[in-house]
Amino acid sequence: MKRSVRFFTWMLLICLCTFWASGKDRADNVYHAHENSSMKIALTFDDGPHPILTPKILDILKKHKVHATFFLVGENVKNYPDLAQRILREGHEIGNHTYTHGRVSERGFFEMRREIELCEAAIYEQTEYKTKLLRPPEGILDSKIKSISREMDYSVILWNIDTKDWAHAAPQSICRNVVEHISPGSIILMHDYIGFDSPTPEALELFLPILLERGYQFSVVSDLIGSY
């Protein structure tokens, strides 16, 4: 009997370790990363589409044959539908980043849900694409977001590598940060809109060749979180 209890305890510990190593909170369907054995990683961009930066980023990704996931703001999709369509046409993926990018802490449950619904509707209206990936503004994950994501059947996608392009970090600093911290299953946070003087395009040109040379495979997020 004691042996059976010990065996069960060890199996439970193994399962828990595997669970946490995956980078996923299974109860809430939340991902910061998703460890795998095939060198897959995901590159993500928030806050677009932007009329100047998004085309630059798409050109760079096309040049290096890299696919990414773009978490779009609904009102930007309505303003620049051609860019949302181009993102999909070139093999990338779209995620929901709410309609106005309002602060989660300043919105109640029903207002937050409406933000997500309006973004979903805007994306579908302009692209006929229905996303099931959600990234809350600023990555804030509270009880509202957890509950809404479960109700609406969204996977919440966060990250484990913050490039700090939003803080206008130097491209060389961004490159070093990514290269030093990358591992199979990483989700990289970048932005295709940060206001002005974006370091993102130059940083991409620095670290994409390095990671590709090291054998990393860039996957859209839905592919990454479905891999083992």
Side-chain angles (χ1 to χ4, degrees), residues 43-50 53-59 61 66-73 77 83-84 86-88 90-97 119 123 129 131 133 135 190-193 200 204 220-221:
L43 178 61
T44 67
F45 298 90
D46 285 8
D47 300 352
H50 183 270
L53 290 174
T54 302
K56 284 184 178 180
I57 289 168
L58 288 171
D59 288 345
L61 298 179
V66 164
H67 289 135
T69 299
F70 290 77
F71 288 92
L72 302 183
V73 174
V77 171
L83 289 177
R86 180 183 169 186
I87 287 169
L88 292 175
E90 297 188 1
H92 307 290
E93 181 175 52
I94 289 176
N96 188 320
H97 200 41
C119 183
I123 292 169
Y129 180 85
T131 182
L133 304 177
R135 177 169 285 165
M190 301 195 85
H191 297 76
D192 50 344
Y193 177 68
T200 306
L204 285 170
V220 295
V221 166

Side-chain angles (χ1 to χ4, degrees), residues 77 79-87 89 126:
V77 171
N79 289 332
Y80 309 107
D82 55 324
L83 289 177
Q85 293 159 11
R86 180 183 169 186
I87 287 169
R89 188 168 63 249
Q126 302 300 333

Side-chain angles (χ1 to χ4, degrees), residues 150-166:
R150 287 194 296 266
E151 289 181 8
M152 296 183 69
D153 193 28
Y154 270 95
S155 293
V156 179
I157 309 301
L158 301 178
W159 58 85
N160 68 331
I161 297 180
D162 182 355
T163 62
K164 292 186 169 55
D165 60 345
W166 52 269

Side-chain angles (χ1 to χ4, degrees), residues 2-228:
K2 289 182 179 179
R3 289 183 178 180
S4 297
V5 171
R6 283 199 298 268
F7 176 78
F8 177 79
T9 301
W10 276 110
M11 291 301 296
L12 179 60
L13 287 171
I14 291 170
C15 290
L16 286 171
C17 289
T18 303
F19 166 80
W20 288 112
S22 70
K24 175 185 178 183
D25 179 345
R26 294 181 187 271
D28 294 307
N29 212 26
V30 176
Y31 295 82
H32 292 83
H34 192 64
E35 184 178 345
N36 62 81
S37 58
S38 53
M39 297 289 284
K40 287 183 179 180
I41 57 177
L43 178 61
T44 67
F45 298 90
D46 285 8
D47 300 352
H50 183 270
I52 298 174
L53 290 174
T54 302
K56 284 184 178 180
I57 289 168
L58 288 171
D59 288 345
I60 292 168
L61 298 179
K62 187 174 184 178
K63 171 185 172 182
H64 293 283
K65 299 179 181 178
V66 164
H67 289 135
T69 299
F70 290 77
F71 288 92
L72 302 183
V73 174
E75 60 183 3
N76 292 342
V77 171
K78 296 200 76 169
N79 289 332
Y80 309 107
D82 55 324
L83 289 177
Q85 293 159 11
R86 180 183 169 186
I87 287 169
L88 292 175
R89 188 168 63 249
E90 297 188 1
H92 307 290
E93 181 175 52
I94 289 176
N96 188 320
H97 200 41
T98 74
Y99 191 75
T100 67
H101 199 276
R103 288 181 177 273
V104 174
S105 59
E106 297 174 358
R107 283 161 167 72
F109 179 90
F110 293 106
E111 189 177 5
M112 198 70 244
R113 183 181 174 109
R114 185 63 174 159
E115 280 274 326
I116 295 167
E117 289 174 339
L118 285 173
C119 183
E120 182 180 292
I123 292 169
Y124 189 80
E125 179 183 348
Q126 302 300 333
T127 66
E128 296 186 352
Y129 180 85
K130 193 171 190 309
T131 182
K132 282 300 177 184
L133 304 177
L134 171 67
R135 177 169 285 165
E138 301 176 346
I140 294 174
L141 182 65
D142 64 4
S143 59
K144 293 192 301 287
I145 295 297
K146 290 180 179 181
S147 180
I148 293 167
S149 65
R150 287 194 296 266
E151 289 181 8
M152 296 183 69
D153 193 28
Y154 270 95
S155 293
V156 179
I157 309 301
L158 301 178
W159 58 85
N160 68 331
I161 297 180
D162 182 355
T163 62
K164 292 186 169 55
D165 60 345
W166 52 269
H168 302 275
Q172 294 79 7
S173 175
I174 292 173
C175 177
R176 184 167 55 253
N177 178 19
V178 172
V179 171
E180 289 179 356
H181 295 96
I182 198 75
S183 63
S186 287
I187 297 176
I188 304 168
L189 170 68
M190 301 195 85
H191 297 76
D192 50 344
Y193 177 68
I194 58 170
F196 65 94
D197 192 27
S198 172
T200 306
E202 186 177 347
L204 285 170
E205 289 282 25
L206 292 175
F207 73 73
L208 286 180
I210 296 173
L211 298 187
L212 289 168
E213 177 67 23
R214 293 186 180 183
Y216 284 101
Q217 302 177 40
F218 287 87
S219 301
V220 295
V221 166
S222 61
D223 182 33
L224 177 72
I225 65 178
S227 66
Y228 295 92

